[in-house]
Amino acid sequence: MATDVTERPAPDVDEENAGYWDSLRRHELALQRCADCGRFWSPAGSFCRWCLSDRWSWERVSGRGTLYAFTVVHQVYHPAFREAAPYPAAVVELEEGPRLLATVDCAPRELRVGMALEVGYRDLPEGFTLLAFRPVTGGTR
Amino acid sequence: MATDVTERPAPDVDEENAGYWDSLRRHELALQRCADCGRFWSPAGSFCRWCLSDRWSWERVSGRGTLYAFTVVHQVYHPAFREAAPYPAAVVELEEGPRLLATVDCAPRELRVGMALEVGYRDLPEGFTLLAFRPVTGGTR
Amino acid sequence: MNPRGRYAVVGVGNTAYGKLAGRSAMSLSVEAVRNALADAGLRPADVDAVLTKAPTSNFTMLWSAQVAQAVGIVPQVTATLDQAGASNIGLVGYAMWCIETGQCHTAVIVYGDNPATGSRATYARPRGEGAAYGMFGVPPWYALIAQRHMHEYGTTSEQLGAVAVACRKHAAMNPGAQFQSPITLEDHHASRFVAEPLRLLDCCPISDGAAAIVVTSAERASGMRKPPVYVLGIGQGHPAWDVPYRSTLTTSGAATSGPMAFRMAGITPADVDVAQLYDCFTIVPIVTLEDYGFCAKGEGGAFVEQGRIALGGALPLNTSGGLLGETGMPGMQLIVEGVRQMRGECGGRQVPDARICVVSGQGGVMTTHATLVLGKEVP
Amino acid sequence: MNPRGRYAVVGVGNTAYGKLAGRSAMSLSVEAVRNALADAGLRPADVDAVLTKAPTSNFTMLWSAQVAQAVGIVPQVTATLDQAGASNIGLVGYAMWCIETGQCHTAVIVYGDNPATGSRATYARPRGEGAAYGMFGVPPWYALIAQRHMHEYGTTSEQLGAVAVACRKHAAMNPGAQFQSPITLEDHHASRFVAEPLRLLDCCPISDGAAAIVVTSAERASGMRKPPVYVLGIGQGHPAWDVPYRSTLTTSGAATSGPMAFRMAGITPADVDVAQLYDCFTIVPIVTLEDYGFCAKGEGGAFVEQGRIALGGALPLNTSGGLLGETGMPGMQLIVEGVRQMRGECGGRQVPDARICVVSGQGGVMTTHATLVLGKEVP
Ligand SMILES: [Zn+2]
Ligand SMILES: [Zn+2]
């Protein structure tokens, strides 16, 4: 497949993480949850991150979390990001424990570690969906 | 550069070995020779293989050698070799010492370790020249 | 210092072998670690070192750290070692060093890859001088070695075939092996040439799968779930140079690696009860047996004939089938089988009263070589 | 066993640093080996181990064997270790293990790469989940760490700048450094953001070049051309997991790696005269100083202020300029400078009476960490 240089690079979707990217496409964020120890994990993998069980299923999560860390990227590393720069990139910690790479839909100057976030999605013309969390007004957890 | 799948793969020509591949193109096999210890070496490199000197020059060699080892490749690994298979591939030991990867222009069943060879060249339509040694009639060194 | 007997393998595990479509190298690696830990009776939290050889078909940076993450271990020590097919044994040594100096206490060493159903680009790279002359992948290079060995020592294709026959016989006795059917010398002779003098049945398959082992100190090993299998000796020796430029093609790194390991173990080849020798091509165990001193140089061809290396023979070789019969994975399965033989777990293919096993690893085109001597006890 | 003082660095060498168009990673590596051997007064035949970290921009299999061939050494031991930027120190440990157990006697360890003028594809991989979110290369990931450190401990951009100012000051005193001009805190503040909170002057350059060291036993070291510089301690600790999933972003592997090495050396941070701490980004030495115990956790920012880490300060840091000032190579130059400081060869940038130097290595995104304690003598 030929790619336009101004297309945003796509995630590598494989057997292990297809369930994750499919859930974003459906706007129903889901992670793997272990049937043996009950814990969620991220990133995706064929075995429970915590007890190595292979008994697990994709389960929808609350979508509530907090901003764990962020940066605002100024340098244009890729032409697809030329117009967006400077843009935020973030690590969000879900209520359920796992952390996720995401963007946050707000002005860079409003970003604060610990701010409350709820899940949102950004459907891209390139044919995949990214996580774009939204600030919960007034909320800090 | 787009490549036809039936094109023979090209050698990787770089700063170090360009002098070698150029010499084949001129049909004047040359190797690097050290100005400090006097020895030739192969494959090419920026420093003498034997004393690490950087004082050396490309020098034409005799082109005389013996067959050190050979195989006859039957499996077609690449479409460019479909018609040639089974074809010989060989290691030739030059009078001057170094060994070179090469092909030998003779029927596979005539190949014998130790047979005397003299240098020959095969100019390929892909734009580079390979070593194709020829048996010296009746010669074994 | 001599680390003889101070370290032990306390767990081994592996996945199925063969064509495992849809399984990533990572998924296979995690499964092998899970199985090795279960065998050892350990949980991930009991392990503080994760060591890997990177998948041949996916040679990525910081692979061992990725594996550590996938098995949920925050390691004290993690490293990927590249000595090609000698890496697994090299990593046993690295684990010993780290434990000996207090850098960690228990290491899992894992290799996994999926070149059979994933990308096998690495196995037949279409670039460079070799490719220009039609030398793709590794078989034509091993063919040069085999041809020189035949030239120098009169080794025959039938002798190469004897190695394949023994390995396939043993594979057929191993329910986990990729090949379940034995072959005859006639089958070997009838198989097509890949690169003369090597025939198809001289070559191991390209396989998916993973295997892992757990290494710890002898002190910690006692009282674990399975009896410890001790590391008596370890050695390495690497010709290193590309095949055309090597001073000799017919003597391998085994010539120094083996004596180094045997000296550390305080044994001679006569003390070895069973051998797991790297056999990506049939010529390799022949060269290794010579270089280890099981026979004189050049007599490896004769040594492997007449059932000497089959179960019941003087030196049972590759009792799980080796690369030629069990699976083409680059070597971890040989350590796993060595441990199982020392434990006496091998059922119908168990070598009776086996107390000392030598395992070899080698990679590239006999570019690297490592030797491991395993013992049921510390003699 | 404690290997303290049993091994020594007996030779160091490097190439020019910067943009070296037309020079391959191999050519640079060979030049560094040549220079290190000349420094040690050794010939290639005196070395029996060739150890490498693979070039970041050309991560190929069996790199160490290729280097061995190019320097004309048929090694007893050769290996490539991948712990990213911690590999060079990791290889010092591997050399010690091999010498200690009689596998080899003298090792050359070399790193070379040409990402500035060759391919730098590896430095900004345009694939995967990170790239989809605009996280290219490593700076945005280190930015996450710097941002958390500022959040948790109040670290300021001025404190990051103090690291850059010190390194550039020292680089300007080193004729071999890539950057010959010092900078001010104002220059740092005026430099553009790459990824907030990191500015351009918080980031090391991408550089061509190579460096090598020669390691042997203390016995062999005595009587060689240069006075031996002893390995007093070595340690490692690897957070391993990808940045988003790590339990903490602000404590690094230095927190276990450092104490391990200091314990082996029998020293405390107070005994250290000079430090060469991995500084791919200004935040890294700040975290490392805290984790090593030179100050309390969170006080690294204050520690680096007011000239404390400049030559003449309490703890001169990265006296050759480090990654930020001497060259962006992933770490070997820090070991080289540590050795030169212990020998007293550093001219205008020499730390007077320096007897103990700590060197750190780390790689990935604080994914790995290794520590080396060097000594002018064995105290
Ligand atoms: Zn679980
Ligand atoms: Zn010379």
Side-chain angles (χ1 to χ4, degrees):
Chain A
M1 190 179 74
T3 51
D4 186 328
V5 290
T6 64
E7 271 187 12
R8 192 182 278 242
D12 293 319
V13 181
D14 55 30
E15 299 81 12
E16 272 98 54
N17 67 22
Y20 175 73
W21 292 103
D22 287 347
S23 82
L24 299 199
R25 196 186 305 270
R26 293 192 314 271
H27 292 205
E28 293 177 348
L29 174 60
L31 298 180
Q32 288 165 292
R33 185 178 199 173
C34 180
D36 284 323
C37 74
R39 296 181 70 175
F40 287 91
W41 70 91
S42 170
S46 307
F47 297 85
C48 171
R49 178 69 32 84
W50 310 111
C51 75
L52 301 184
S53 169
D54 55 7
R55 298 180 57 242
W56 52 264
S57 56
W58 290 99
E59 196 167 307
R60 197 166 171 182
V61 292
S62 67
R64 289 187 297 272
T66 53
L67 184 58
Y68 184 76
F70 66 90
T71 179
V72 179
V73 181
H74 290 248
Q75 179 146 329
V76 179
Y77 291 97
H78 189 285
F81 291 87
R82 195 178 303 281
E83 287 187 21
Y87 55 88
V91 175
V92 176
E93 186 164 288
L94 293 179
E95 223 175 57
E96 289 84 357
R99 299 205 205 113
L100 301 171
L101 197 59
T103 189
V104 181
D105 262 333
C106 76
R109 70 181 172 283
E110 289 168 16
L111 294 165
R112 295 287 180 277
V113 167
M115 72 194 290
L117 299 169
E118 61 183 12
V119 70
Y121 304 89
R122 187 177 298 170
D123 297 319
L124 291 173
E126 288 85 352
F128 55 91
T129 301
L130 292 180
L131 274 180
F133 277 82
R134 289 185 300 257
V136 175
T137 316
T140 300
R141 286 193 186 94
Chain B
M1 190 179 74
T3 51
D4 186 329
V5 288
T6 63
E7 271 187 12
R8 192 183 278 243
D12 293 318
V13 180
D14 55 30
E15 300 80 12
E16 274 98 53
N17 66 23
Y20 175 72
W21 292 104
D22 286 347
S23 81
L24 299 199
R25 196 187 305 269
R26 295 192 313 270
H27 292 204
E28 293 177 349
L29 173 60
L31 298 179
Q32 289 164 291
R33 185 177 198 172
C34 180
D36 284 323
C37 74
R39 295 180 69 175
F40 287 91
W41 70 92
S42 169
S46 306
F47 297 85
C48 171
R49 178 70 30 86
W50 311 111
C51 74
L52 300 184
S53 170
D54 55 7
R55 298 180 58 242
W56 51 263
S57 55
W58 290 100
E59 196 167 306
R60 196 165 171 184
V61 293
S62 67
R64 289 186 298 271
T66 53
L67 184 59
Y68 183 77
F70 67 89
T71 179
V72 179
V73 180
H74 289 248
Q75 180 147 328
V76 178
Y77 291 97
H78 188 286
F81 290 87
R82 194 178 303 281
E83 287 188 21
Y87 55 88
V91 176
V92 176
E93 188 164 286
L94 293 179
E95 223 174 58
E96 289 84 356
R99 298 206 206 114
L100 301 171
L101 196 59
T103 188
V104 182
D105 262 334
C106 76
R109 70 181 171 282
E110 289 168 17
L111 295 165
R112 296 286 179 280
V113 167
M115 71 195 290
L117 299 170
E118 60 182 14
V119 71
Y121 304 89
R122 188 177 297 170
D123 297 318
L124 292 173
E126 288 84 354
F128 55 92
T129 301
L130 294 180
L131 274 180
F133 277 83
R134 290 185 299 257
V136 175
T137 316
T140 300
R141 285 194 186 90
Chain C
M1 56 90 66
N2 186 338
R4 173 174 179 269
R6 295 175 56 83
Y7 301 93
V9 182
V10 295
V12 297
N14 58 275
T15 63
Y17 296 133
K19 291 188 195 299
L20 307 169
R23 295 293 303 276
S24 67
M26 182 58 81
S27 159
L28 292 166
S29 298
V30 176
E31 182 182 342
V33 168
R34 184 192 67 172
N35 295 348
L37 293 181
D39 184 61
L42 297 175
R43 293 161 306 130
D46 299 323
V47 172
D48 62 353
V50 177
L51 305 174
T52 61
K53 162 175 164 36
T56 307
S57 73
N58 181 21
F59 197 67
T60 46
M61 271 185 285
L62 286 174
W63 175 253
S64 68
Q66 295 294 311
V67 172
Q69 172 172 302
V71 297
I73 294 173
V74 179
Q76 190 58 42
V77 170
T78 192
T80 297
L81 189 70
D82 179 22
Q83 301 176 316
S87 304
N88 301 306
I89 292 174
L91 285 166
V92 172
Y94 190 71
M96 291 161 68
W97 153 250
C98 292
I99 301 169
E100 182 73 37
T101 51
Q103 299 181 67
C104 68
H105 56 71
T106 304
V108 64
I109 306 173
V110 59
Y111 179 78
D113 198 4
N114 63 347
T117 60
S119 163
R120 68 168 77 187
T122 317
Y123 286 81
R125 238 165 302 175
R127 288 265 344 136
E129 183 179 22
Y133 286 104
M135 301 288 279
F136 293 93
V138 292
W141 300 103
Y142 278 98
L144 295 176
I145 290 171
Q147 189 271 332
R148 276 299 300 196
H149 204 272
M150 289 177 164
H151 169 75
E152 292 180 29
Y153 303 118
T155 306
T156 66
S157 181
E158 287 67 30
Q159 292 170 336
L160 300 185
V163 173
V165 167
C167 288
R168 291 291 293 268
K169 173 184 173 176
H170 300 161
M173 301 168 77
N174 171 12
Q178 200 172 324
F179 291 118
Q180 291 291 321
S181 58
I183 58 167
T184 63
L185 275 179
E186 291 68 38
D187 293 331
H188 173 267
H189 187 71
S191 70
R192 67 179 170 83
F193 278 124
V194 170
E196 291 183 47
L198 297 179
R199 300 172 181 281
L200 186 63
L201 289 176
D202 289 307
C203 309
C204 76
I206 291 174
S207 311
D208 299 337
I213 63 173
V214 181
V215 174
T216 192
S217 64
E219 296 79 43
R220 277 187 183 257
S222 69
M224 282 198 184
R225 186 164 167 268
K226 293 281 183 78
V229 172
Y230 298 95
V231 176
L232 302 181
I234 194 164
Q236 59 184 314
H238 310 293
W241 296 24
D242 290 329
V243 168
Y245 316 116
R246 244 171 245 173
S247 64
T248 169
L249 301 195
T250 52
T251 293
S252 75
T256 53
S257 164
M260 189 185 288
F262 292 167
R263 198 164 48 240
M264 191 183 286
I267 65 161
T268 70
D271 298 312
V272 174
D273 300 309
V274 55
Q276 316 293 340
L277 303 187
Y278 204 94
D279 59 334
C280 48
F281 297 91
T282 49
I283 183 65
V284 178
I286 290 175
V287 172
T288 307
L289 286 163
E290 296 169 354
D291 290 345
Y292 277 177
F294 284 94
C295 57
K297 191 68 205 169
E299 294 179 7
F303 185 90
V304 300
E305 290 184 308
Q306 295 173 336
R308 195 176 281 106
I309 60 170
L311 279 160
L315 183 72
L317 181 85
N318 299 1
T319 47
S320 63
L323 277 73
L324 289 163
E326 184 176 27
T327 188
M329 172 194 293
M332 190 68 95
Q333 74 276 42
L334 301 175
I335 306 179
V336 169
E337 174 70 3
V339 169
R340 289 179 175 149
Q341 285 286 346
M342 293 300 92
R343 288 177 178 169
E345 293 181 336
C346 291
R349 67 176 196 275
Q350 178 65 44
V351 175
D353 301 321
R355 311 186 91 73
I356 292 181
C357 176
V358 61
V359 185
S360 77
Q362 66 105 58
V365 185
M366 296 192 359
T367 312
T368 60
H369 191 97
T371 306
L372 184 67
V373 179
L374 297 172
K376 192 183 174 74
E377 60 269 313
V378 184
Chain D
M1 55 90 66
N2 185 338
R4 172 175 179 270
R6 296 174 55 83
Y7 301 93
V9 182
V10 295
V12 297
N14 58 275
T15 64
Y17 297 132
K19 292 189 194 298
L20 306 168
R23 295 294 303 277
S24 67
M26 182 59 80
S27 159
L28 293 166
S29 299
V30 175
E31 183 182 342
V33 168
R34 185 193 65 171
N35 295 349
L37 292 182
D39 185 59
L42 297 175
R43 293 161 305 130
D46 299 322
V47 172
D48 62 352
V50 177
L51 305 174
T52 62
K53 161 173 164 35
T56 307
S57 74
N58 181 23
F59 197 67
T60 46
M61 271 185 285
L62 286 174
W63 175 253
S64 68
Q66 295 294 311
V67 173
Q69 173 172 302
V71 296
I73 294 172
V74 179
Q76 190 59 41
V77 169
T78 192
T80 297
L81 188 71
D82 179 22
Q83 300 176 317
S87 303
N88 301 306
I89 292 175
L91 286 167
V92 173
Y94 190 72
M96 291 161 69
W97 153 250
C98 291
I99 301 170
E100 183 71 39
T101 52
Q103 298 181 69
C104 67
H105 56 71
T106 304
V108 64
I109 306 174
V110 59
Y111 179 78
D113 199 3
N114 62 348
T117 60
S119 165
R120 68 167 77 186
T122 316
Y123 286 80
R125 237 166 302 174
R127 287 260 352 130
E129 183 179 21
Y133 286 104
M135 301 287 280
F136 293 93
V138 293
W141 300 102
Y142 279 98
L144 295 175
I145 289 171
Q147 189 272 333
R148 276 297 303 194
H149 204 272
M150 289 175 165
H151 169 76
E152 292 180 29
Y153 303 118
T155 307
T156 66
S157 180
E158 287 67 31
Q159 293 170 335
L160 299 185
V163 173
V165 168
C167 289
R168 291 290 294 267
K169 172 183 174 176
H170 301 161
M173 301 168 76
N174 171 12
Q178 199 171 326
F179 292 118
Q180 291 291 321
S181 58
I183 58 167
T184 64
L185 275 179
E186 291 67 38
D187 294 331
H188 173 266
H189 188 71
S191 70
R192 65 179 172 83
F193 277 125
V194 171
E196 289 182 50
L198 298 180
R199 301 173 181 281
L200 186 63
L201 288 177
D202 289 307
C203 309
C204 77
I206 291 174
S207 312
D208 300 336
I213 63 173
V214 181
V215 174
T216 193
S217 63
E219 296 80 43
R220 276 187 184 257
S222 69
M224 282 199 184
R225 186 163 166 269
K226 293 281 182 79
V229 173
Y230 297 95
V231 176
L232 301 182
I234 193 163
Q236 59 184 315
H238 311 293
W241 296 25
D242 289 330
V243 167
Y245 316 115
R246 245 171 246 173
S247 64
T248 169
L249 301 196
T250 52
T251 292
S252 75
T256 53
S257 164
M260 189 185 288
F262 292 166
R263 198 162 50 239
M264 191 182 285
I267 65 161
T268 70
D271 299 312
V272 173
D273 300 308
V274 54
Q276 315 294 339
L277 303 186
Y278 203 94
D279 58 335
C280 49
F281 297 91
T282 49
I283 183 64
V284 178
I286 289 175
V287 171
T288 307
L289 286 163
E290 296 170 353
D291 290 345
Y292 277 177
F294 285 93
C295 58
K297 190 68 206 171
E299 293 179 7
F303 185 90
V304 300
E305 290 184 307
Q306 296 172 335
R308 196 176 281 107
I309 59 170
L311 279 160
L315 183 71
L317 182 85
N318 299 1
T319 46
S320 63
L323 276 73
L324 289 164
E326 184 177 26
T327 187
M329 173 193 292
M332 190 67 95
Q333 73 276 42
L334 301 175
I335 305 179
V336 169
E337 175 69 3
V339 169
R340 288 179 176 150
Q341 284 286 346
M342 293 299 94
R343 287 176 178 171
E345 294 181 334
C346 292
R349 67 177 196 275
Q350 179 65 43
V351 175
D353 301 321
R355 312 186 89 73
I356 292 182
C357 177
V358 61
V359 185
S360 77
Q362 66 106 57
V365 185
M366 296 192 359
T367 313
T368 60
H369 191 98
T371 306
L372 183 66
V373 180
L374 296 172
K376 191 183 174 75
E377 60 269 313
V378 185

